[in-house]
Amino acid sequence: MKHILKAVVLFTFVAGLSIFYVVYKTFNKYTIDIIYKLNIRYILFALFLSFLYQTFDVLRLLTLSKALNVRYPMSYGYMTSFINTFAATVTPLHIGGELASVYMLKRRGTHLHKTMSIVTMKTLSGMFFFVVAFPVTAYYLYQKPELGVDVLKIFVISVGLGLLIYTGAKVFFKSNILSPKRKLNIKYTLRKYVATLRIFLRVKKSSVFLAFFYSSMLYITFLLIAPVLIRAFGKNVDIPSTMLRQLGLLYGIYMSPTPGGAGVGEIGGLDVFRHYLSTYELGLFVILWRFVSQYLSAFIGWILFQIILIKDNEKQT
């Protein structure tokens, strides 16, 4: 719990600075008036897309779990997905999401080698979209060099900021997370892990294909949230071009060394979406977009994680 709280504090600090910068650069006396003019229907639709994003994440993990005879109710899948989002949001490179998946599957009594195989396949399925989308992203940024330079500049700055955060975190997190009592038989576990991965790739091809499909739909749904929210501001935009314009930023957010892509998402959003909105609308839009697409789900996951930890602690006492 101590380490989790420190991670939350670190994320809050970085995200808070980013939001403060956005407010400082874009908010003025007209911004407050815009809030009352927003189209609520499009905001609700964007929230539905955010829930759909979580649903594809649930289906992906559920499919891979069933392939190895690991079964749990759909409600537990949603709980896992929201907790994954929270853990990914407060850790660099979204790595906490994978660790949270391991924890939630282990709670169901799943053997470690199966858990590792399921989570590895989940990670690979997520990488599939980025591999397939890379040529499209590279070509689009080549066609729009000014956007490519902006995204690259923001990413480089985030790497520098991430190195500073990493250095600070080494001082902040003084103790080791894993105690000696929790050390595992690595050789045995890895042997079983490799054997299970072979089962996935040789026998469970249909499950792997479905997981890749759900991952692609997950990120496509994420890219749809922004154009829907832009329409909430009364702007008509071409949805495919808006989605393409976000691709470079999507790579930046998910590869950023800052917790949950904080800073990259907010400041990068100012550059990516400035062609669709006026200055006094832009900052409000970026904050709303980040809240709907990630931070709301992360907050729900934080609450659910507290409930899980309390229950697990009660069982141990």
Side-chain angles (χ1 to χ4, degrees), residues 74-107:
M74 196 81 167
S75 58
Y76 190 82
Y78 276 106
M79 188 180 297
T80 301
S81 180
F82 281 111
I83 290 173
N84 289 352
T85 303
F86 158 70
T89 300
V90 298
T91 52
L93 299 171
H94 290 72
I95 57 175
E98 313 307 322
L99 298 176
S101 295
V102 170
Y103 178 75
M104 294 299 287
L105 288 173
K106 284 292 292 175
R107 288 185 75 250

Side-chain angles (χ1 to χ4, degrees), residues 168-278:
K170 286 187 70 175
V171 178
F172 199 45
F173 295 93
K174 292 180 180 178
S175 60
N176 292 322
I177 294 174
L178 291 177
S179 64
K181 294 180 181 179
R182 295 187 179 182
K183 289 184 179 179
L184 304 167
N185 187 331
I186 297 174
K187 185 176 180 180
Y188 171 79
T189 301
L190 288 178
R191 188 166 63 246
K192 295 285 287 183
Y193 169 54
V194 171
T196 309
L197 277 180
R198 286 176 179 171
I199 293 173
F200 257 125
L201 297 174
R202 291 181 181 178
V203 183
K204 306 293 183 178
K205 290 186 177 66
S206 60
S207 298
V208 174
F209 173 79
L210 269 177
F212 280 29
F213 170 75
Y214 290 139
S215 287
S216 298
M217 293 305 299
L218 179 150
Y219 290 114
I220 289 171
T221 303
F222 178 89
L223 293 172
L224 279 169
I225 293 174
V228 169
L229 283 177
I230 291 174
R231 295 199 172 192
F233 284 74
K235 313 291 183 181
N236 289 319
V237 292
D238 180 65
I239 290 178
S241 65
T242 310
M243 292 172 69
L244 285 171
R245 193 172 182 84
Q246 293 177 73
L247 282 175
L249 181 58
L250 184 65
Y251 280 87
I253 290 173
Y254 279 89
M255 295 173 62
S256 169
T258 58
V264 176
E266 288 78 17
I267 300 172
L270 293 179
D271 283 320
V272 170
F273 300 114
R274 65 185 176 185
H275 296 280
Y276 303 111
L277 299 154
S278 60

Side-chain angles (χ1 to χ4, degrees), residues 147-181:
L147 179 60
V149 170
D150 288 338
V151 172
L152 181 61
K153 187 170 28 177
I154 293 164
F155 182 70
V156 169
I157 292 172
S158 77
V159 170
L161 181 61
L163 290 174
L164 290 175
I165 291 171
Y166 174 75
T167 304
K170 286 187 70 175
V171 178
F172 199 45
F173 295 93
K174 292 180 180 178
S175 60
N176 292 322
I177 294 174
L178 291 177
S179 64
K181 294 180 181 179

